[in-house]
Each structure stands twice: as structure tokens, then as C-alpha cells.
Amino acid sequence: MVKSERNVLTDVLIHAVLVLFCIVTLLPVVHVFSVSFSDPIAIHQSSIMLHPKDITLSAYQYIFSTPALVRAFLITVTITVVGTFLNLVFTITAAFALSKRNLPGLKIFMILIIVVMNFNAGIIPGYLNIKNLGLLNSIWAMIIPGLVSAFNLILMRNFFMDLPEEIEESSKMDGCNEFTFIWKILIPLSLPAIATIGLFYGVAHWNEFFKGVFYITDSRKWPLQVLLKVIVFDGNFTNLAGADTEQMKVEPANVQAAAIIFATLPIVLVYPFLQRHFVKGIVMGAVKG
């Protein structure tokens, strides 16, 4: 009986801590959401807002008053879609090759990949490399560096190694070559792991900020996160809209909050569709190594 009471008490404490963490995590999001829809006078009267007051859409009308935000959004979507696709293609094919235990030089390849996980060339050599390749002010500067993540590559390789070797042997007996096996058999069997690393790559591309700052100097080619940085931290609205904030009766805090919500919403909407594959892909890809 005493042990049962202790278990109940432990469960209560764990749930209480989790609820507290949820509140701490959600409170800033709720505040930003409320500010984006609230009247400027109400914002000045309340330091923390848990619900919109005197609801207005003026901030969203302001950020869409010029094509700057939409252009940055489309650039980020392009980088995310194209980049994630190429990431998956190169990661899957490389992981398939590394999953072969009889691959010549396998141990050397794995050692080099592990080294890459812990060391990199640095900012200046990376910039000089992109400059010499002629990729400055190009979306490829946001995609090609880090085309394959060492962590995701190892995760995918371990997942492939966990699949029975008899599957590939049977497919070869039926006349499948390597590419047919990967496309028609390996990828359908590996959807949980592919969804997991695809989520990693997609979120990384969507939230990419430093590459945009270092490699994109033309403001017309800025991705969404760089434009968001200029709006929120620099307080510079000249790249966002030509209209005056006072004439549109909008507070800078309104605009900043609306831009944050606009930049965050797509990932929030996409994540639930991939979340069910997330845990399964992580666990299955981390069994062997």
C-alpha cells in the first residue's frame, strides 16, 4: 500500500513538472499571438497579454502591404522543399552504400563521418568556399553547404542495417537492380526513418538564419528568417513596407509579433502530420551501429 502511494505521488509530481514546463513553453507563444491581434493602446496598457484585446488585423494588413514578406516566404519555401529533397536523395543513397558490410574502406568512411560530426572548417573558410564557387546571393548557398548531415546519415544507415538482408537478396533474384530496389522496396519500408530525417532537414532549412546573413547580401533575396531578424531585432520596417506605421495605426510590437506568427505557423501546421513517425524513426534508427 505504501509503495502504491509512493507511485501515485511520483506520478503526480512528474505530471506537475510537465504541466509547468508546458506553461512556461506556451506562455511566450500565447503572448506573441495575442499582441499580433491587439490594438496598440491595449498593448501599452498590458505588459503580458494572454488573450487579444480590442482585436484588429492591422498588423497583418501592414506586413502584407508590400510583397517583401511574401517574397521572403516563397524563397524560404523553395529552399526548404528543394533542400530537403536533395538532402534525402543524397542521405538515402549514401546510407544505403554504407550499410553494406562488405563495402571497401567502410571503417575509414565511418571514421571520417564521425570526425565531421565534431569538427568543421569554420565560418571564414566556409565563406571563401561559397565565394569561390560563385554561390553568393544564390539559394544554392543555403542548400549545398551541409547537403548531408553526418548525424542523419548514421541514423539512416543504422535503419537500413536493421532491415533483413534477405529482402535485397530476394529482390535481386526477381531481377531488381540497386536503384529499383531502393525506389520500390527500400524507401517504402523506411518511411518512418525518412520522415524523421526529413523533418530534421526541413525544420533546419526553414529556421536557417546564419547562412542567409553570411551568404545573402541582396535584401531582395533574403529568406524569411533574415527578414524576420531585421523586423524584430533591428526594428527596421523599410524592407517590409513603405507605408508609415503611424498612418496605419499599428504599433511596431504588433508588426513584430505578426511576423513571428507568420514565420512560425507553417512548421506548426506541418509537424503534426510527421510527428507520428518521429519516435518510431528515431528508435528504429538507433538500434544498431
Side-chain angles (χ1 to χ4, degrees):
M1 186 67 179
V2 175
K3 185 179 292 187
S4 177
E5 291 178 355
R6 288 180 179 177
N7 292 336
V8 172
L9 181 59
T10 302
D11 291 340
V12 171
L13 289 175
I14 291 174
H15 283 84
V17 172
L18 291 176
V19 169
L20 179 61
F21 279 134
C22 288
I23 294 174
V24 172
T25 303
L26 292 175
L27 187 61
V29 178
V30 174
H31 171 71
V32 172
F33 179 82
S34 300
V35 169
S36 69
F37 286 99
S38 296
D39 185 83
I41 298 177
I43 295 175
H44 285 291
Q45 294 176 346
S46 302
S47 56
I48 297 180
M49 303 183 67
L50 299 181
H51 60 85
K53 298 180 180 179
D54 300 328
I55 296 178
T56 176
L57 298 176
S58 58
Y60 292 93
Q61 293 174 353
Y62 178 79
I63 64 176
F64 289 113
S65 60
T66 66
L69 190 70
V70 177
R71 181 173 61 242
F73 175 79
L74 293 177
I75 290 173
T76 299
V77 169
T78 302
I79 291 171
T80 302
V81 173
V82 176
T84 303
F85 174 76
L86 294 177
N87 290 142
L88 291 176
V89 169
F90 283 91
T91 301
I92 290 172
T93 51
F96 176 70
L98 293 172
S99 66
K100 305 296 183 181
R101 292 181 173 84
N102 58 351
L103 178 70
L106 176 60
K107 291 185 178 180
I108 297 176
F109 286 130
M110 294 307 300
I111 291 173
L112 293 176
I113 291 171
I114 293 173
V115 170
V116 171
M117 289 180 64
N118 297 281
F119 302 97
N120 60 70
I123 296 175
I124 295 177
Y127 177 84
L128 294 176
N129 186 36
I130 295 298
K131 181 180 179 181
N132 293 333
L133 291 173
L135 298 179
L136 292 179
N137 285 319
S138 168
I139 65 170
W140 297 111
M142 305 283 292
I143 295 174
I144 292 179
L147 193 60
V148 176
S149 165
F151 173 80
N152 292 339
L153 178 60
I154 293 176
L155 185 69
M156 200 76 235
R157 170 185 177 265
N158 292 346
F159 188 92
F160 288 161
M161 293 181 68
D162 198 36
L163 296 175
E165 296 181 2
E166 291 78 7
I167 296 177
E168 185 176 358
E169 295 175 359
S170 299
S171 67
K172 288 183 177 179
M173 292 179 63
D174 291 334
C176 285
N177 56 29
E178 301 288 349
F179 292 102
T180 304
F181 172 73
I182 292 175
W183 178 251
K184 293 188 176 182
I185 299 176
L186 190 64
I187 290 179
L189 290 174
S190 307
L191 286 180
I194 293 174
T196 300
I197 67 170
L199 180 63
F200 288 160
Y201 281 128
V203 172
H205 282 301
W206 186 267
N207 292 329
E208 184 58 63
F209 166 74
F210 289 104
K211 291 178 185 176
V213 171
F214 294 143
Y215 304 145
I216 310 296
T217 57
D218 186 351
S219 61
R220 294 173 299 177
K221 298 180 180 180
W222 277 346
L224 187 60
Q225 301 304 329
V226 177
L227 183 62
L228 188 64
K229 176 259 181 186
V230 173
I231 297 171
V232 175
F233 292 102
D234 298 345
N236 185 358
F237 301 99
T238 57
N239 290 298
L240 184 63
D244 187 2
T245 55
E246 293 182 0
Q247 292 180 0
M248 296 191 69
K249 298 180 180 180
V250 62
E251 183 74 14
N254 281 104
V255 180
Q256 293 168 347
I260 292 173
I261 294 298
F262 178 78
T264 307
L265 190 60
I267 291 296
V268 174
L269 295 177
V270 170
Y271 184 80
F273 296 98
L274 299 176
Q275 189 269 342
R276 61 192 182 95
H277 298 292
F278 184 78
V279 176
K280 184 179 179 181
I282 285 291
V283 173
M284 296 180 70
V287 173
K288 291 185 178 181

